[in-house]
Amino acid sequence: MGRPRTPLLDRERITTTALEIVDAQGEFSVPQIARRLGVQTGSVYHHVDGRDGIVELLRERIAQRIDITALDIRPWDAALMTWARSYRAAFAAHPRAIPMLMTSPVRAPRVLEQYERAVTLLLEAGFPLPDVMPVIVALENLVLGSALDLAAPETMWEIADDAATPRLAEALDAIGDNRADRAFELALEGFLRHARHMLDTQAQA
Amino acid sequence: MGRPRTPLLDRERITTTALEIVDAQGEFSVPQIARRLGVQTGSVYHHVDGRDGIVELLRERIAQRIDITALDIRPWDAALMTWARSYRAAFAAHPRAIPMLMTSPVRAPRVLEQYERAVTLLLEAGFPLPDVMPVIVALENLVLGSALDLAAPETMWEIADDAATPRLAEALDAIGDNRADRAFELALEGFLRHARHMLDTQAQA
């Protein structure tokens, strides 16, 4: 295996290019990246650990924008709230990458490190070990579902005939601004309320 | 505009083909559909209301699998729970369609009708009009985030070095079966708990 003199720079460029393609198409291929960079496909493979390696570079790139120091906040629920908001913002910038990243295994060390900190937070808060990952995954599902929703058009429901769906028309008129934010905050508040309840029940048992 | 003799059959075939392409690629183009069906691109446009029309046919096709009668159940929270589970199952069969459908406006009459029924349910339950759409969208976000998670690999976190993330390794060992289902049910329970709380607060005001 050759060792390129500037591997970091090259991986950066490969990641940036892959992200541009994913933002546009929801997918990428290694030959596409090579074409855009004006190099042979084999040269790309020289710098990364296969296609899966590029997926992990994308994951690290997007996750870099998540405020990991949020997980140092106490109490734990304030930490999760701040982390979740930052997590949503990071992925909302790249909604088309969400399905790809949600359906391939997490291997990126820096991202695993972020999970380690979230797990530690919840264990210290008193969550029983078997509940920790379900709690984290539930939070991620609502965060990522809400991140996709942020990419939705402002007018998400187009009613051709008010008479066919009169109550929906009324409810849409009453939405006001920041529909996506309000829905996210509502789901987040519900999640935290439930997590607190789980912990209280646990403490009483 | 010509009127094909078997428009329904043709729209069905176009929808089926578009869905196959989206399932594989997360996207589709009208020429791709035409190629697969062995017809001219113009012939496809003959049957549908442009590319957006095909997106709406996809939405109707997937939403057909949602049990809309769930919205007739009372009390309202049992209705939402049953609807949410069925909604998640319908989209879990087509995870790659989720970003496309979440980011283009809903126009399909049968899908708007489903929203009309959900809005009616919540209004009858006593939710104030401005809260109705945020409640529905929050539920959809967690449903669709969880549907994407159902498409994730069983081993979602691959730890190369247990020593680097020891607590994550423990938490993963303790997960047990049905990770995705447990996370979804946890988020759903939290959502319903919060929605009940919103309604109680409203009743006391």
Side-chain angles (χ1 to χ4, degrees):
Chain A
M1 297 283 282
R3 303 197 86 211
R5 253 174 305 175
T6 53
L8 262 174
L9 178 65
D10 284 297
R11 286 165 64 127
E12 290 282 317
R13 286 177 65 215
I14 290 167
T15 309
T16 300
T17 308
L19 192 53
E20 284 167 8
I21 298 172
V22 170
D23 283 345
Q25 302 173 358
E27 262 298 341
F28 74 90
S29 74
V30 182
Q32 272 180 315
I33 294 173
R35 266 198 305 277
R36 289 222 188 177
L37 290 172
V39 299
Q40 300 290 322
T41 300
S43 307
V44 176
Y45 282 117
H46 213 75
H47 293 287
V48 297
D49 188 12
R51 189 183 184 285
D52 288 352
I54 301 177
V55 173
E56 290 312 287
L57 290 172
L58 289 176
R59 194 190 302 279
E60 279 198 340
R61 172 71 66 88
I62 296 174
Q64 251 172 30
R65 308 295 296 271
I66 303 176
D67 178 13
I68 187 169
T69 68
L71 294 170
D72 298 328
I73 298 172
R74 295 295 178 273
W76 63 274
D77 49 352
L80 284 189
M81 184 183 285
T82 307
W83 186 56
R85 285 179 182 146
S86 160
Y87 196 149
R88 170 174 175 254
F91 275 86
H94 304 286
R96 302 200 64 179
I98 294 174
M100 173 188 293
L101 296 179
M102 282 188 81
T103 52
S104 66
V106 182
R107 297 192 185 96
R110 278 182 229 166
V111 178
L112 290 170
E113 168 61 24
Q114 193 157 158
Y115 280 100
E116 174 76 5
R117 291 173 78 156
V119 168
T120 303
L121 173 77
L122 292 177
L123 286 175
E124 285 179 11
F127 283 89
L129 194 58
D131 286 350
V132 168
M133 289 312 294
V135 165
I136 292 175
V137 173
L139 181 58
E140 287 187 296
N141 289 350
L142 81 85
V143 160
L144 294 171
S146 302
L148 276 174
D149 185 39
L150 260 188
E154 193 54 39
T155 303
M156 185 62 194
W157 295 269
E158 294 190 359
I159 303 182
D161 174 13
D162 272 17
T165 53
R167 291 190 189 84
L168 175 58
E170 273 179 28
L172 291 175
D173 281 344
I175 279 184
D177 292 337
N178 304 322
R179 169 182 70 73
D181 288 345
R182 284 186 60 207
F184 169 64
E185 291 293 334
L186 193 158
L188 181 58
E189 209 179 316
F191 169 82
L192 292 171
R193 179 185 297 282
H194 188 57
R196 277 181 220 113
H197 173 81
M198 285 172 70
L199 203 55
D200 291 346
T201 315
Q202 172 65 21
Q204 285 156 22
Chain B
M1 297 284 280
R3 303 195 86 210
R5 252 174 304 172
T6 53
L8 264 174
L9 176 66
D10 284 297
R11 288 166 65 130
E12 290 280 317
R13 285 177 64 215
I14 291 167
T15 310
T16 300
T17 307
L19 191 53
E20 284 168 7
I21 297 172
V22 170
D23 283 344
Q25 302 173 358
E27 262 297 341
F28 74 91
S29 75
V30 181
Q32 272 180 316
I33 294 172
R35 265 198 305 278
R36 290 223 186 176
L37 290 173
V39 299
Q40 300 289 322
T41 300
S43 307
V44 175
Y45 282 117
H46 212 75
H47 292 287
V48 298
D49 188 11
R51 190 184 183 283
D52 288 352
I54 300 177
V55 173
E56 289 313 286
L57 289 173
L58 288 176
R59 194 189 303 279
E60 280 198 340
R61 171 72 65 87
I62 296 173
Q64 252 173 28
R65 306 294 296 270
I66 304 176
D67 178 14
I68 186 170
T69 67
L71 295 170
D72 297 329
I73 298 171
R74 295 296 178 273
W76 64 273
D77 49 352
L80 284 189
M81 183 183 287
T82 306
W83 186 56
R85 288 182 180 145
S86 159
Y87 196 149
R88 171 175 175 253
F91 276 85
H94 304 285
R96 303 202 63 179
I98 293 174
M100 173 188 293
L101 296 179
M102 281 187 81
T103 53
S104 66
V106 182
R107 296 192 186 96
R110 278 182 229 167
V111 178
L112 290 171
E113 167 63 23
Q114 194 157 158
Y115 281 101
E116 174 76 5
R117 291 173 78 158
V119 168
T120 304
L121 173 77
L122 292 177
L123 287 175
E124 285 179 10
F127 284 89
L129 194 57
D131 286 350
V132 168
M133 289 312 293
V135 165
I136 292 175
V137 173
L139 181 58
E140 287 187 297
N141 290 350
L142 81 85
V143 160
L144 294 171
S146 302
L148 276 175
D149 184 38
L150 260 188
E154 193 54 38
T155 304
M156 185 63 194
W157 295 269
E158 293 189 0
I159 303 181
D161 174 13
D162 272 17
T165 52
R167 292 190 189 83
L168 175 58
E170 272 177 28
L172 291 176
D173 282 343
I175 278 184
D177 292 337
N178 304 320
R179 168 182 71 74
D181 288 344
R182 283 186 61 206
F184 168 64
E185 291 292 333
L186 195 157
L188 180 58
E189 210 180 317
F191 169 83
L192 292 172
R193 179 185 299 278
H194 188 57
R196 278 181 219 113
H197 173 82
M198 286 173 71
L199 203 56
D200 291 348
T201 316
Q202 172 65 21
Q204 284 155 19

